Amino acid sequence: MNVLIVGSGGREASIGWKINQSPLLDHLYFAPGNAGTSQYGENIPIKAHQIQELAEFAQANQIDLTLVGPEEPLVLGISDLFRQKGLAIWGPDSFCARLEGSKIVAKSFMKKYGIPTAKYQIFNRSEKENLYRYLETADYPLVLKADGLAAGKGVLIPSTKNEAIVAAQTFFEDNLFGEAGNQVVAEEFMSGEEATVFVLTDGENYHILPPAQDHKRIGDGDSGKNTGGMGAYVPAPACTPEILELVRKTIVEPTLTGLKSEGHPYRGVLYVGLMLTPDGPKVVEYNVRFGDPECQAVMLMLSSDLLPVLNEIAHGQLVSGLSFKSGFASVVVASAKGYPDKLTLGDPITLGALPESADQAVFLAGATENENGDLITSGGRVLGTAAFGKTLKDSLDSAYQMMSAIQFNGMHYRKDIGQRGLDALKKSEKV
Ligand code: AMP
Ligand code: GLY
């Protein structure tokens, strides 16, 4: 099969790493890919949002299957376009993609289908005084979210009324989130452990992948600013088999049935961001793609071929199973100088010896080659080191050992990835 992977991050590199091991693969392309993806396939200079050009490329190059990494092309309707042209694509249509593209669409969908999530209210910029009035009597902490895509930055959690007023101003007065902030969702604060569940589905049949835990803050001990994700591990012990069964019954099944009944069976991977509250698991958010870096750890866990599963999903006929190694996988992300604020890029990267084991991988993301062919930093999250191990500790040690061989000016990575998982296992005496 000829396969095209759309995107340029560590997520796409890890999917490529896995697909490249499939006996079914003939030729693999990345659009646009990065300095690391050229190890697994051929990079072509088309960006992820150029969906017309991508369709033309797929037609001209006998692409049998296109895999979409990031949300932007999905929200732009890449799957609708490919399907209209008779091209097989793994990724939900633009109707389903609105579950990520609009918090209001996601909240209304969950309300309609009785899916557990935080209570909420919607406020429009045109009636902003209603929001300020609401803040007078709201319970704190409170969660305020821009409706649209805001690169993971559109969520504010004020803990007092005064903080909430300042937060409301950033949406409606300072216009920090542009059109994405024309409507704001005010949501009840949920407390508990967070976990992510990925569902690979053709809209009816599905596989729930081992639950992951991300590390969204830049600093150790969950300090500092929010990022795209600084590390992850799989499976997260906090999401026990009992909780996972609840997630399946109360969240995954009603979500898939709901979308199907709306005439839009979901074909791709659904990301369910969860809060494991004392009242049971509740949805924090849906994303319509794999999380990055969680995907990198998930790829290391898989023992069976992924390509047939993704291909069957693209054709709406998922029948193949998936199997996973028995153990844990972890990923640690190294970020560029200044991330997540003002970045300094162009620093030379020394990778050292790359791993050769099937249980270890370095996935490049924000890394490119300069005109001399030297590897330099080109994005906020520069690379991830991902490893499988029989125990969580083994997998973390292995990921950190790879990281210790890598160097660049201003390099930052968290030293406490997986700590919550280790603590949870220790408590249950499984370590
Ligand atoms: P989101 O972009 O919706 O995933 O929100 C980003 C982060 O904000 C989540 O990962 C949570 O840590 C936090 N968050 C969002 N909604 C809530 C909520 N209702 N209660 C508590 N924390 C939340
Ligand atoms: N790591 C979180 C995300 O991809 O949205």
Side-chain angles (χ1 to χ4, degrees):
M1 287 177 71
N2 295 328
V3 178
L4 168 64
I5 298 182
V6 177
S8 60
R11 166 182 48 212
E12 290 76 21
S14 69
I15 296 171
W17 172 85
K18 181 68 194 168
I19 296 296
N20 188 40
Q21 298 169 29
S22 171
L24 301 175
L25 183 74
D26 291 312
H27 203 93
L28 181 59
Y29 298 91
F30 293 86
N34 63 44
T37 56
S38 49
Q39 297 170 69
Y40 319 121
E42 185 181 336
N43 290 343
I44 54 159
I46 306 177
K47 300 229 166 87
H49 68 269
Q50 295 175 299
I51 64 174
Q52 290 290 351
E53 288 84 346
L54 290 168
E56 282 159 26
F57 178 86
Q59 274 176 324
N61 292 276
Q62 288 82 47
I63 299 296
D64 299 299
L65 176 66
T66 296
L67 310 176
V68 188
E71 65 278 14
E72 192 189 10
L74 296 168
V75 173
L76 290 173
I78 190 171
S79 299
D80 314 56
L81 177 69
F82 272 55
R83 287 184 193 127
Q84 273 160 23
K85 292 181 185 288
L87 294 162
I89 187 161
W90 174 79
D93 66 14
S94 57
F95 179 93
C96 295
R98 296 191 318 151
L99 286 181
E100 174 164 0
S102 163
K103 305 268 187 214
I104 293 176
V105 166
K107 295 300 281 191
S108 319
F109 176 84
M110 286 186 268
K111 194 172 188 179
K112 182 167 175 189
Y113 292 99
I115 296 161
T117 187
K119 292 200 192 76
Y120 70 103
Q121 295 211 31
I122 299 165
F123 297 94
N124 291 313
R125 186 189 292 281
S126 57
E127 307 147 342
K128 59 185 177 191
E129 48 309 330
N130 290 351
L131 174 58
Y132 290 106
R133 209 172 304 129
Y134 170 85
L135 297 180
E136 291 295 324
T137 55
D139 288 334
Y140 292 96
L142 177 73
V143 184
L144 294 174
K145 298 185 176 182
D147 173 49
L149 289 178
K153 298 193 178 114
V155 177
L156 299 173
I157 309 189
S159 40
T160 63
K161 185 173 82 181
N162 286 344
E163 278 179 33
I165 291 168
V166 175
Q169 285 167 347
T170 64
F171 290 107
F172 286 161
E173 253 69 54
D174 309 341
N175 209 4
L176 210 61
F177 304 104
E179 284 198 8
N182 278 346
Q183 289 179 295
V184 168
V185 179
E187 211 176 88
E188 162 202 26
F189 180 82
M190 301 184 285
S191 47
E193 195 82 33
E194 282 188 70
T196 307
V197 164
F198 295 110
V199 187
L200 276 172
T201 179
D202 63 0
E204 188 165 340
N205 306 302
Y206 62 87
H207 295 303
I208 296 184
L209 309 187
Q213 194 165 51
D214 190 11
H215 296 66
K216 288 208 167 114
R217 303 296 187 107
I218 186 75
D220 286 2
D222 294 325
S223 60
K225 293 208 168 157
N226 255 332
T227 69
M230 295 301 294
Y233 62 98
V234 178
C239 196
T240 60
E242 294 74 30
I243 295 179
L244 206 53
E245 179 56 18
L246 270 178
V247 171
R248 191 181 69 74
K249 265 205 203 126
T250 65
I251 297 172
V252 173
E253 295 226 321
T255 301
L256 300 186
T257 317
L259 288 169
K260 196 172 165 223
S261 72
E262 307 260 337
H264 294 272
Y266 192 103
R267 290 185 185 172
V269 66
L270 179 71
Y271 167 131
V272 188
L274 296 166
M275 191 70 80
L276 308 180
T277 79
D279 304 329
K282 294 187 183 180
V283 177
V284 176
E285 63 168 342
Y286 290 116
N287 289 326
V288 295
R289 50 168 177 89
F290 268 125
D292 195 9
E294 301 94 308
C295 177
Q296 302 178 38
V298 170
M299 291 302 133
L300 268 286
M301 284 295 291
L302 272 168
S303 53
S304 54
D305 193 355
L306 182 61
L307 188 50
V309 168
L310 302 187
N311 189 42
E312 288 164 12
I313 287 176
H315 290 92
Q317 294 167 335
L318 174 59
V319 286
S320 292
L322 275 180
S323 46
F324 296 91
K325 301 174 198 166
S326 161
F328 293 83
S330 305
V331 54
V332 179
V333 171
S335 59
K337 194 171 182 180
Y339 183 74
D341 294 320
K342 202 173 170 332
L343 299 177
T344 307
L345 299 175
D347 284 310
I349 305 168
T350 312
L351 281 184
L354 288 175
E356 284 177 11
S357 138
D359 291 338
Q360 287 187 317
V362 175
F363 295 124
L364 297 188
T368 190
E369 279 179 6
N370 66 12
E371 56 283 5
N372 305 325
D374 299 326
L375 193 62
I376 54 168
T377 61
S378 63
R381 291 187 295 167
V382 176
L383 53 85
T385 55
F388 169 82
K390 289 275 173 238
T391 66
L392 177 55
K393 185 165 183 317
D394 287 350
S395 79
L396 289 163
D397 287 349
S398 174
Y400 276 115
Q401 180 242 325
M402 279 187 281
M403 193 57 93
S404 66
I406 297 171
Q407 281 176 341
F408 53 89
N409 183 33
M411 174 179 177
H412 164 77
Y413 61 92
R414 278 181 65 161
K415 313 295 183 301
D416 66 342
I417 301 303
Q419 193 55 50
R420 297 165 88 94
L422 291 174
D423 292 346
L425 289 173
K426 221 175 254 163
K427 251 196 218 156
S428 60
E429 290 177 349
K430 283 190 196 144
V431 101

